[in-house]
Amino acid sequence: MSRACASRLMLSAFLGGWMVCLVSPACAEVSGPEPFGKTSDGTPVERYTLSNGNGVVAKLMTRGATLTELHVPDKEGNVADVVLGFDSVAGYESEANQYFGCTTGRVANRIAEGKFTLDGEEYTLAINNEPNHLHGGTERSLDKVVWDAKTVKTKFGDGVRFTYVSPDGEEGYPGKLRVTVTYTLSDDNDLRISYTASTDKATPVNLTNHSYFNLAGHGSDTVLDHRLKINADKYTPTDDTLIPTGELAAVEGTPLDFRKMKRIGKQIEQLVDTAALGYDHNFVLNGEAGKLRLAARLKDPKSGRILTVRTTEPGIQFYSGNFLHGQTGKGGKEYPLRSAVCLETQHFPNSVNEPDFPSVILKPGEKYRHVCVYTLKAE
């Protein structure tokens, strides 16, 4: 039993010779590992399950420290899996996979022209989003490797801790980087993702989770009727290759103003003819980076499901699934254009080349820390 659950257990004194015991019915549990197939090179992949008494179930696999399923009841108690994914490892290795549910890095998002200079040395990375580097590379980025995993008990609930050691020079990045990603589920429906990293040589680090959410259930139509709020007064404008210009601009008076709950489809057509082809923007979150605070709130009016995102990061990328193209996912369901959104808590894109952005450089003796909490409910 997790401490989060144990804190809700109350034992009374004897009352008339009877002991009264009140226990929260929503104690979170973890099970696994169970086999989930093998990668194309024969490496075994395992999967773990987190669940609580409220009907919330999260499934996690060791390839990419990936969230493969997230089952959530709606306002009537009907349960649906609200994240995109595949039924097999082969699906995640295919071209149909667009970073579904994975841990992304070493550096999530884009680095201009795949280059940066650190301590006087220039580093060159893979160009996998012409003309830029995207999400850590091509062959050994964090989403494509198989992580070690074990179950853990924390003050936030029972969970799974994934660990990976990226050697010096992997995907062109300097330094031997040790990374941990811990998923926990509480009886308050908090799916908490805690990241840590340390290095033996200065290196850029910017990790995130790349889940695609459709609160009506994966495989449903578009998310254009979902309502979204983002706790940001500013965003980072980009050039035609989606690299930030270095400016911080106000969202007021633009289609990017989500300071109040707004239908996602209300103004998206104003962005169709831009480089983003819809929403694919980094927002500068209000409040103090390093402290857990509200980042975004997403609601599906029909099911009543609500996803609240809190984070310690300075930014969040809102992506409206502009490149989903009807690929086949779990249970044979198709994922059409704009049938899910990503809400990626992060440092800003190309920060390694923007000295005025919050730094992504991790040095020896320092500890990278990042917390993202997805809270799930229905009303």
Side-chain angles (χ1 to χ4, degrees):
M1 180 183 296
S2 70
R3 279 181 252 176
C5 178
S7 67
R8 298 213 167 184
L9 184 148
M10 298 178 292
L11 294 176
S12 78
F14 278 96
L15 297 176
W18 293 91
M19 176 68 80
V20 179
C21 177
L22 301 176
V23 182
S24 167
C27 301
E29 298 180 346
V30 57
S31 62
E34 61 179 358
F36 191 60
K38 295 182 179 180
T39 64
S40 57
D41 68 3
T43 304
V45 176
E46 296 179 326
R47 193 158 68 164
Y48 293 78
T49 300
L50 305 179
S51 59
N52 68 18
N54 300 323
V56 176
V57 176
K59 296 192 176 185
L60 311 158
M61 75 166 171
T62 52
R63 183 187 187 271
T66 297
L67 176 64
T68 62
E69 299 179 22
L70 183 59
H71 300 263
V72 184
D74 67 7
K75 61 187 177 182
E76 304 297 333
N78 302 306
V79 177
D81 182 0
V82 299
V83 295
L84 274 55
F86 300 96
D87 291 321
S88 69
V89 176
Y92 288 95
E93 291 187 320
S94 72
E95 292 184 358
N97 184 22
Q98 297 177 349
Y99 301 96
F100 292 165
C102 66
T103 297
T104 311
R106 286 189 190 188
V107 175
N109 220 302
R110 293 171 177 83
I111 295 178
E113 299 180 353
K115 296 179 180 180
F116 65 91
T117 299
L118 182 57
D119 293 338
E121 183 174 350
E122 184 176 89
Y123 294 89
T124 301
L125 311 172
I127 303 301
N128 58 338
N129 184 240
E130 187 69 35
N132 304 313
H133 175 80
L134 178 67
H135 291 330
T138 56
E139 301 295 329
R140 300 288 298 176
S141 49
L142 297 184
D143 62 294
K144 297 177 181 66
V145 298
V146 176
W147 298 52
D148 292 330
K150 65 178 182 180
T151 60
V152 293
K153 291 183 179 293
T154 79
K155 65 181 180 180
F156 302 108
D158 288 354
V160 182
R161 178 164 296 148
F162 296 92
T163 304
Y164 179 68
V165 179
S166 176
D168 184 18
E170 189 165 64
E171 286 291 347
Y173 289 96
K176 179 180 179 181
L177 187 74
R178 180 180 177 84
V179 188
T180 69
V181 180
T182 304
Y183 291 82
T184 56
L185 178 64
S186 79
D187 52 350
D188 293 319
N189 294 355
D190 289 342
L191 181 63
R192 184 183 187 96
I193 311 175
S194 300
Y195 306 82
T196 66
S198 59
T199 183
D200 63 358
K201 186 178 181 180
T203 191
V205 181
N206 182 25
L207 309 177
T208 194
N209 178 270
H210 208 291
S211 288
Y212 286 67
F213 295 97
N214 185 323
L215 298 183
H218 79 102
S220 298
D221 277 335
T222 75
V223 290
L224 296 181
D225 284 334
H226 279 42
R227 271 57 170 176
L228 177 65
K229 175 180 180 178
I230 300 177
N231 182 27
D233 297 329
K234 297 180 180 180
Y235 74 104
T236 53
T238 66
D239 63 18
D240 288 341
T241 71
L242 301 183
I243 293 294
T245 62
E247 176 189 6
L248 303 184
V251 299
E252 186 173 3
T254 77
L256 280 72
D257 192 347
F258 284 92
R259 291 175 296 175
K260 296 181 180 180
M261 282 291 237
K262 181 173 73 175
R263 180 177 172 271
I264 289 174
K266 183 176 181 179
Q267 294 176 286
I268 197 170
E269 293 303 319
Q270 297 180 35
L271 300 170
V272 168
D273 294 329
T274 68
L277 304 179
Y279 291 106
D280 194 2
H281 298 78
N282 172 67
F283 291 76
V284 181
L285 292 173
N286 297 331
E288 183 179 346
K291 293 187 176 180
L292 192 63
R293 66 212 188 282
L294 176 67
R297 183 171 286 116
L298 181 69
K299 181 175 182 177
D300 172 35
K302 290 184 178 179
S303 69
R305 293 189 185 93
I306 299 170
L307 171 69
T308 300
V309 184
R310 291 175 290 154
T311 188
T312 56
E313 289 294 276
I316 189 170
Q317 187 88 6
F318 166 41
Y319 170 57
S320 55
N322 310 315
F323 291 97
L324 294 172
H325 52 78
Q327 60 263 63
T328 301
K330 290 175 287 188
K333 293 185 177 181
E334 293 187 354
Y335 298 150
L337 178 72
R338 299 201 180 111
S339 61
V341 300
C342 299
L343 295 166
E344 307 155 57
T345 59
Q346 62 175 13
H347 273 59
F348 307 161
N350 200 39
S351 288
V352 70
N353 292 311
E354 288 288 351
D356 292 334
F357 283 0
S359 176
V360 294
I361 302 303
L362 180 67
K363 298 179 180 179
E366 298 178 342
K367 181 77 77 173
Y368 170 91
R369 299 183 189 277
H370 167 190
V371 175
C372 172
V373 181
Y374 297 135
T375 302
L376 305 144
K377 66 176 183 178
E379 62 181 29

